[in-house]
Amino acid sequence: MEPRKKFFRFRNEKIIFFTFTGLMLAVYLFEFFIILPRIQASDPTFHKGIHIFFGTLILINAYLSVWKFITTDATSGSRVLPSSLEKGWKYCWKCEANAPPRSYHCFTCHKCILVRDHHCVLVSHCVGHATMRYFLSMLMNMWVALLYSNILNFDFVWEVFHVLQPKTLLTMFVPWLAWVLGYAESETFVMAIMTSICLLGFMYCTVMLGWHGRNLLKGRTCHEMAKKIGFNYDLGAAENIAQVFGVNWKYAWISPIIPSPLPGDGISFKEKEFVERNGKGL
Ligand SMILES: [Zn+2]
Ligand SMILES: [Zn+2]
């Protein structure tokens, strides 16, 4: 796939992107500088080195996923599309070109996206044939990072919130107000904000991963799920994963930089009936 040239069109896209990627770093620094030293202070046998190692690995993987996601072109690029409408193709009046099956025009990207799933507002880029792997990789790394953070944060959350009083409830749900009213110390305020971000982020990622993981196994996009179409693209779980994570899918999920060419081109597709008649095989 060809690299993408322009990342952001509007200022608010830049603000959302840098807030999102900045929060990833903020969670990492919070665990590194506040939570791990706290755990070590209360338990001298605790070795934080191993957690720093794994935490750094997950953060690098998450950033690499974002980088691969935003630099990969999700359109047909410079490939020449047929000038006459073929079976299942449609004409896009915006692009003034023929668009293959499963592709849809994105009114934010202003382009037709191959196997369009949805437009990800966090990085301002479309999830489609060439980018689905990196989107899922980003989501998986965020989910693992937030699960890890919540486990490490547990002692603090328990310490502050195990007694459910109005003050602790206020600190839990409206930390800034608890801080302004003097119910929460500055340190508790920062801790409450960060642990809430970890908790809410984890819940959000779990829902997203459940939804997109199900679509991955079924070989269909969000759009096809919503419209109850595209059943013929379901080639069985293993082959559906290979269509997204590439021929080396058994390892490609570990890191977005593991080379794994996609078996399809996002323009023509293997279909269920065809596979059933002719046997499987990538
Ligand atoms: Zn279009
Ligand atoms: Zn888009």
Side-chain angles (χ1 to χ4, degrees):
M1 280 291 144
E2 290 166 27
R4 189 182 168 214
K5 291 178 187 85
K6 196 168 180 239
F7 297 128
F8 307 106
R9 288 159 297 272
F10 304 107
R11 203 169 64 155
N12 61 346
E13 292 180 340
K14 253 187 217 174
I15 294 170
I16 294 171
F17 177 81
F18 286 109
T19 306
F20 166 60
T21 48
L23 271 176
M24 283 184 181
L25 184 64
V27 169
Y28 173 81
L29 295 175
F30 173 68
E31 301 298 324
F32 192 112
F33 288 110
I34 299 181
I35 294 294
L36 289 177
R38 269 179 79 102
I39 300 174
Q40 198 162 42
S42 62
D43 177 10
T45 62
F46 178 82
H47 294 293
K48 62 179 185 181
I50 188 87
H51 298 286
I52 291 171
F53 174 76
F54 282 116
T56 308
L57 218 55
I58 298 166
L59 182 76
I60 291 171
N61 237 358
Y63 275 144
L64 284 173
S65 305
V66 172
W67 177 246
K68 292 289 284 183
F69 185 5
I70 65 168
T71 53
T72 303
D73 186 4
T75 69
S76 56
S78 57
R79 275 177 286 177
V80 179
L81 299 174
S83 53
S84 59
L85 268 187
E86 294 182 5
K87 187 174 171 274
W89 285 55
K90 53 197 172 290
Y91 184 74
C92 176
W93 292 96
K94 291 280 174 189
C95 298
E96 296 181 338
N98 289 329
R102 308 186 81 188
S103 85
Y104 290 93
H105 188 85
C106 175
F107 288 92
T108 312
C109 296
H110 302 293
K111 283 169 188 166
C112 270
I113 306 296
L114 300 179
V115 196
R116 184 170 184 270
D117 191 88
H118 70 285
H119 182 87
C120 177
V121 290
L122 293 175
V123 299
S124 185
H125 198 30
C126 252
V127 181
H129 170 71
T131 50
M132 179 56 102
R133 173 191 171 183
Y134 304 121
F135 167 74
L136 288 175
S137 178
M138 179 183 91
L139 201 54
M140 284 190 297
N141 279 287
M142 281 163 55
W143 187 83
V144 171
L146 290 166
L147 175 67
Y148 202 162
S149 304
N150 281 308
I151 293 169
L152 292 174
N153 296 348
F154 183 79
D155 279 352
F156 165 77
V157 176
W158 181 252
E159 187 187 303
V160 175
F161 303 122
H162 75 285
V163 187
L164 283 181
Q165 291 171 345
K167 276 183 193 177
T168 52
L169 283 171
L170 197 68
T171 309
M172 192 192 304
F173 295 109
V174 207
W176 61 270
L177 188 61
W179 180 57
V180 169
L181 294 175
Y183 292 150
E185 303 276 321
S186 296
E187 197 195 341
T188 313
F189 166 71
V190 173
M191 300 279 281
I193 290 269
M194 291 309 293
T195 48
S196 302
I197 288 173
C198 291
L199 210 55
L200 293 173
F202 177 69
M203 284 153 67
Y204 174 74
C205 285
T206 304
V207 172
M208 291 286 282
L209 205 54
W211 166 247
H212 289 289
R214 178 170 164 265
N215 294 355
L216 169 74
L217 295 177
K218 294 206 172 278
R220 291 158 69 200
T221 62
C222 278
H223 178 82
E224 289 163 349
M225 280 294 195
K227 296 272 178 192
K228 297 189 170 53
I229 55 172
F231 295 96
N232 46 332
Y233 301 120
D234 181 357
L235 309 174
E239 193 152 339
N240 291 341
I241 297 172
Q243 295 294 322
V244 167
F245 279 89
V247 291
N248 299 322
W249 61 274
K250 286 179 183 163
Y251 318 100
W253 62 271
I254 299 169
S255 173
I257 53 168
I258 293 175
S260 184
L262 294 175
D265 58 2
I267 292 176
S268 53
F269 303 94
K270 272 187 191 178
E271 296 189 38
K272 206 175 190 174
E273 288 79 3
F274 180 83
V275 172
E276 276 168 3
R277 259 189 278 122
N278 297 278
K280 289 194 176 182
L282 297 173

